[in-house]
Structures are given as C-alpha cells and as structure tokens.
Amino acid sequence: MKAYYGDVVGSDGKHRYSDGSRFVSDTERQVEDAKRYLTRRLDRTTCRAG
C-alpha cells in the first residue's frame, strides 16, 4: 500500500499520497481516458442530433 500511494506524513501527522506516486499517475490516466471517452460520446451524439 505504501509503495502504491507513496506514503507522506503531513505536518498534522496524517498520512497522504505522494504527488509522484503510482496512485497519482493511475488517477490522472483514468481521468484523461474518461475525458476522451466523453468527448467521443458527445461528438457522436451531436452528429446525430444535427
């Protein structure tokens, strides 16, 4: 778990993910994939409506 999230302890003592962790890169990739998917779906819907 720590290797994936990059365990960083903040000044408040709480554990957080590291900005350079695999969790962050996986999340960014998933968001980009979702944006591309939605763009394609919206383009297809717009073409049918027009």
Side-chain angles (χ1 to χ4, degrees), residues 22-47:
R22 186 169 168 201
F23 166 73
V24 171
S25 61
D26 286 350
T27 302
E28 288 173 348
R29 185 177 57 254
Q30 289 172 353
V31 169
E32 290 305 314
D33 289 349
K35 286 179 181 179
R36 279 192 298 275
Y37 171 80
L38 290 173
T39 299
R40 286 194 310 265
R41 294 290 296 181
L42 288 172
D43 286 346
R44 212 179 317 164
T45 303
T46 304
C47 289

Side-chain angles (χ1 to χ4, degrees), residues 5-24:
Y5 290 102
D7 192 35
V8 174
V9 180
S11 59
D12 58 1
K14 293 184 179 180
H15 292 261
R16 294 183 171 75
Y17 58 83
S18 169
D19 289 337
S21 69
R22 186 169 168 201
F23 166 73
V24 171

